[in-house]
Amino acid sequence: MSAPNSDYDPVEVTPLHPDEIARVTSEALQAVTAATTLAELKQVRIDHTGDRSPLALANREIGALPPQARKEAGQRIGQARGEVAQALATRTEELEAVESAARLLAETVDVTLPTDREVVGARHPITTIQELVADVFVAMGWEVAEGPEVEAEWLNFDAMNLGPDHPARTMQDTFWVASSGAAADGPGAQDSGKVLRTHTSPVQARSMLTRTPPIYVVCPGRVYRTDEADATHMPVFHQVEGLAIDEGLSMAHLKGTLDHFARAIYGDTMTTRFRPSYFPFTEPSAEVDLLCYVCHNEPSAVASCRTCGGEGWIEWGGCGVVNPRVLVACGVDPERYSGFAFGMGLDRTVTSRYDIADLRDLWDGDVRFTEPFGVGL
Ligand code: DAH
């Protein structure tokens, strides 16, 4: 900075000379225009408005002027600095817009592209157990059979030796399909001759009517009864039916088959127990229980076992030697052939196997329920 000097002519002080100010100003403005990035502009700002810039240095010279000259010089410098500051602000805005547009372009995401982050979901345990059961029997050479869920009353009941007066035929248990025009609960409601099948047993009749012995079929499927939904009952549930018709089949073959079935599902230490029972379609009939897979009926554990309620055994299903009346109704010669049949509830098999307290969980369709069962095939 020059020393104060009363004879000083501001025009003669080089940095404050109008031409010099015009020159450095235009240099600054050119530099601002020439900057093509915000980083370059930052450097221009430092070079042309920073402490060591020509305009800042000129500004400092004002103090060296005689007081009467300071105003004009100050105005000139102030105007020049204002012009440069304004140009910088405008260019900053322009470059910010350019750079933000470039960034948006670079970061463009095509939201329509497929992504690999979809939730995979899981298979429902009822589906898995149906397939597992089918696999066990197919491995023994059995066939998987199917039947409709809207079933002929005759196949659901009569063919299975459930006569017209059997309690299972009453409105209490059976969903009747109303004939067209009849109210579901009014007169004629049962006249259609069709029901929602109350068990998978009609598939036995269908199999015998469409095949010639030997017959070995297994049929997992959905069945319906007029139960209120609660933790242990559902109006829709699942069973697996089995039927074997051949020469010389006996209760012993049935026991061996069910023991194998139980071991395939529950492991090699599993065994079954038969209790005498009654079913119209089998004679003799039995209820089949599984050894409790938690306490194994061990004397030290069975009394306090919550899974089997201290029984040591868990109800699994019904079975027996096919009643000759059923064979006759389905066109099979009872003199030549005999057979055995069984039917198990699959929902209880799943709920007891996985400790599911409420049957309704199987129906909620909540993926959080199915996820722990995984996607195993
Ligand atoms: N259908 C019977 C039910 O729903 C179960 C059953 C019992 C099936 C004995 C059979 C059988 O094949 O032999 O309760």
Side-chain angles (χ1 to χ4, degrees), residues 198-199 201 204 225 239 241-242 279 281-282 318-320 341-343:
T198 58
H199 51 179
S201 299
Q204 289 189 31
R225 287 192 202 167
Q239 291 185 335
E241 192 79 18
F279 296 103
F281 25 91
T282 42
C319 62
F342 55 87

Side-chain angles (χ1 to χ4, degrees), residues 136-215:
V136 169
F137 283 91
V138 166
M140 292 194 287
W142 292 44
E143 248 184 283
V144 176
E146 279 182 22
E149 291 171 24
V150 176
E151 184 57 284
E153 176 187 0
W154 187 83
L155 290 166
N156 192 79
F157 294 125
D158 302 69
M160 301 315 294
N161 197 31
L162 280 148
D165 298 326
H166 196 281
R169 287 172 85 126
T170 65
M171 287 296 266
Q172 267 179 9
D173 293 312
T174 309
F175 282 113
W176 290 85
V177 177
S179 47
S180 58
D185 52 359
Q190 299 183 19
D191 290 353
S192 73
K194 291 206 172 93
V195 297
L196 294 186
R197 67 179 179 193
T198 58
H199 51 179
T200 42
S201 299
V203 180
Q204 289 189 31
R206 286 181 171 273
S207 303
M208 286 186 266
L209 288 166
T210 53
R211 292 166 171 79
T212 46
I215 298 168

Side-chain angles (χ1 to χ4, degrees), residues 249-305:
L249 285 185
S250 72
M251 199 83 172
H253 297 107
L254 170 63
K255 181 76 163 83
T257 304
L258 290 185
D259 275 347
H260 173 77
F261 178 20
R263 288 197 191 107
I265 303 256
Y266 293 96
D268 287 344
T269 56
M270 181 48 71
T271 188
T272 64
R273 161 180 97 166
F274 280 10
R275 280 178 292 119
S277 186
Y278 169 77
F279 296 103
F281 25 91
T282 42
E283 183 58 40
S285 302
E287 286 194 51
V288 54
D289 296 339
L290 293 167
L291 182 67
C292 175
Y293 35 73
V294 174
C295 71
H296 303 105
N297 202 16
E298 299 282 355
S300 58
V302 62
S304 57
C305 181

Side-chain angles (χ1 to χ4, degrees), residues 28-68:
L29 294 178
Q30 273 173 26
V32 168
T33 316
T36 53
T37 65
L38 284 170
E40 280 175 31
L41 196 63
K42 188 176 172 193
Q43 194 54 49
V44 170
R45 187 190 306 275
I46 293 167
D47 292 347
H48 294 276
T49 66
D51 284 350
R52 289 161 179 276
S53 64
L55 283 174
L57 292 174
N59 194 46
R60 263 179 256 157
E61 290 294 338
I62 293 173
L65 294 178
Q68 68 277 18

